[in-house]
């Protein structure tokens, strides 16, 4: 295998390009804008680059790294230029709707989701080693060809990512909990603080905000396009998670209203005890 | 000024001791347990240490670094051993109730709150430079003596902290927004995820959790004692903040239910736009 095409040169596509170029692949980058393609070339995120999807011709693997809502259309545009054995994979953070649609267009498709977000988006914040020790989930179905799966898995492993595998619907429900719900929880925190009507108190709160607020608000202050796409494409699972979250928060509030301090302590202890399981480095 | 006493050798008291000892003060550390006092001596967080509050005798300044609910009782225990000019300050994260109580016992009292929490507590996680570039708020009232305020301010500045000043009640309302509300929001996130009834999905969510979940859940997975004390001693302000937060979250959920994606995008943009004001380094 020699040639890898990356369609969409943002944070993920650009970071992939930086790693794969360094590994010696002929990385072909395709962007919507010519300036982005040029920037990818000059930073070493691609060996060839341009705006024409026909550049994917001859690629062994195509990574579709566009926003969620452009993945299926991009696959449709790319496919006429591919040779039969080529493998398509994507990096979208929602899989349930995308995977069956692209698989119906191209049998050698493997859904993927490298979990390596940042507060900022775009090629400017791409970096080598972005995927190292980060979760990278592949979402094969009964239809997925084993050889295609193995190929994408080998590339993801070469990035140093922690691979895991599940069904697209399971993926969407799991990321609703640990990725999409946190965005809504965190952005609501920022907006609740902004609702303080006394301007002096608001200024004081902003001055006193320290690392705790900074961390809790980070994903909520991220790119609005991404949060909107998450909600739009994973709406049902996110709403389930939100409803559970609201019930949990109401329960905690009830303990504070009733001054049940031992029960609140127990509840906070449960949270403290549960958290480490979400931090462990998963087996590769 | 020569001699500084620190009563309570946990994360904050221990870190204060490490900095002030290095600055050349004779730091006297007082802990509940003899082992803690010994540990403080051996790590250089105190020059003298023990379990007897009488050790505060001769101190120019006493830092009360006990948990919130022990501050007033500690002040009461310390005062009989102090010389007239000595200044007492504390580091409790709630001020509205504590400040008038201690001020009534000792006129040379200055309420303080260095905002430098960690997920862990205790002397073992104390470190030099903990307060550098972190907010440190002083809460004088009309009764506070200017000379006492100046003395505490000078010490806090020598730690490299970013000083600010406000009334105790303003402090409590501001920290409800940016410190106490985030703890409840964040711990509820962990517990909501734990409510996933499918064990395979829960395990998958834990495996896929990445830096976004890690950051959003950090303060919620912290020491339960601290969260309980925050709620207990700042109950009214926290409940107001929680109620506002619930309304904000419900509003966001309503947009997702109604599939109002432009409105959701606008809301997330407001959060993104608002966040930087909470991150700026306040003027010293």
């Amino acid at each position: 295998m020699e040639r890898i095409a990356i369609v969409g040169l943002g944070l993920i596509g650009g970071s992939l390009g930086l790693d794969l170029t360094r590994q010696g692949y002929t990385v072909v980058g395709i962007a919507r804008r010519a300036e982005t393609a040029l920037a990818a070339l000059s930073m070493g995120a691609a060996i060839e680059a341009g705006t024409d999807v026909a550049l994917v011709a001859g690629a062994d693997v195509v990574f579709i790294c566009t926003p969620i809502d452009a993945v299926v259309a991009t696959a449709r545009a790319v496919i006429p230029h591919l040779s039969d054995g080529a493998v398509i994979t994507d990096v979208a953070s929602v899989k349930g709707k995308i995977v069956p649609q692209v698989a119906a267009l191209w049998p050698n498709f493997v859904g993927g989701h490298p979990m390596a977000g940042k507060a900022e988006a775009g090629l400017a914040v791409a970096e080598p080693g972005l995927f190292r020790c980060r979760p990278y989930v592949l979402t094969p179905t009964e239809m997925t060809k084993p050889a295609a799966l193995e190929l994408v898995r080998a590339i993801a492993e070469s990035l140093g990512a922690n691979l895991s595998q599940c069904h697209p619907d399971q993926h969407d429900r799991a990321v609703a909990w640990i990725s999409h719900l946190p965005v809504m929880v965190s952005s609501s925190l920022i907006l609740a603080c902004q609702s303080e009507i006394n301007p002096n108190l608001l200024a004081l709160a902003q001055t006193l905000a320290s690392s705790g607020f900074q961390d809790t608000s980070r994903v909520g202050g991220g790119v609005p396009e991404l949060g909107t796409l998450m909600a739009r494409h994973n709406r049902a699972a996110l709403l389930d998670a939100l409803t559970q979250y609201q019930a949990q928060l109401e329960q905690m509030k009830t303990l504070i209203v009733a001054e049940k301090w031992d029960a609140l302590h127990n509840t906070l202890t449960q949270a403290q005890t549960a958290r480490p399981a979400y931090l462990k480095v998963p087996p590769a």
Side-chain angles (χ1 to χ4, degrees), chain A:
Chain A
M1 201 189 75
E2 288 288 319
R3 196 172 168 89
I4 297 181
I6 301 175
V7 189
L9 298 171
L11 166 64
I12 301 293
S15 299
L16 264 175
L18 287 168
D19 280 3
L20 296 175
T21 301
R22 278 156 201 234
Q23 289 186 29
Y25 291 109
T26 303
V27 173
V28 187
I30 295 142
R32 264 185 316 171
R33 298 186 309 129
E35 307 89 85
T36 309
L38 279 172
L41 281 175
S42 72
M43 73 196 273
I47 304 288
E48 302 170 25
T51 59
D52 186 354
V53 287
L55 283 167
V56 301
D60 302 292
V61 179
V62 180
F63 279 86
I64 298 181
C65 301
T66 64
I68 304 172
D69 53 354
V71 172
V72 177
T74 302
R76 223 183 286 274
V78 155
I79 283 168
H81 305 283
L82 293 184
S83 34
D84 279 356
V87 170
I88 298 181
T89 185
D90 77 326
V91 300
S93 59
V94 180
K95 308 254 67 95
K97 288 179 189 162
I98 287 175
V99 169
Q101 286 185 69
V102 182
L105 298 171
W106 191 254
N108 271 324
F109 173 69
V110 182
H113 179 201
M115 305 195 65
K118 282 192 179 187
E120 305 85 32
L123 184 63
V125 292
E127 58 179 73
L130 182 69
F131 309 101
R132 196 178 305 284
C133 299
R134 297 294 192 83
Y136 196 131
V137 55
L138 299 177
T139 58
T141 65
E142 312 69 47
M143 320 256 288
T144 306
K145 299 204 178 165
L149 177 61
E150 267 326 295
L151 186 56
V152 177
R153 166 179 285 275
I155 296 172
E157 269 171 356
S158 79
L159 303 171
N162 296 317
L163 270 285
S164 53
Q165 204 171 301
C166 64
H167 190 271
D169 292 334
Q170 286 182 310
H171 167 275
D172 285 4
R173 182 144 181 166
V175 297
W177 284 124
I178 53 83
S179 175
H180 303 172
L181 175 61
V183 169
M184 305 305 154
V185 161
S186 174
S187 54
S188 295
L189 174 64
I190 300 170
L191 294 170
C193 293
Q194 290 292 109
S195 74
E196 169 60 57
I197 49 171
N198 178 333
N200 295 331
L201 255 166
L202 178 60
L204 181 65
Q206 291 171 337
T207 301
L208 297 188
S210 187
S211 57
F213 186 85
Q214 183 166 337
D215 283 1
T216 319
S217 67
R218 184 173 70 80
V219 299
V223 197
E225 286 72 22
L226 194 57
T228 308
L229 286 171
M230 288 170 170
R232 189 167 181 165
H233 291 270
N234 201 18
R235 180 172 168 271
L238 174 58
L239 285 175
D240 282 352
L242 264 170
T243 302
Q244 276 297 123
Y245 178 78
Q246 289 178 309
Q248 180 58 54
L249 191 67
E250 180 61 31
Q251 200 175 315
M252 197 170 282
K253 187 184 174 192
T254 302
L255 296 179
I256 299 171
V257 169
E259 307 191 37
K260 294 193 170 165
W261 306 124
D262 286 349
L264 180 65
H265 186 278
N266 287 344
T267 303
L268 293 171
T269 302
Q270 283 168 32
Q272 184 190 36
T273 307
R275 183 169 179 257
Y278 295 81
L279 309 183
K280 71 176 188 300
V281 176

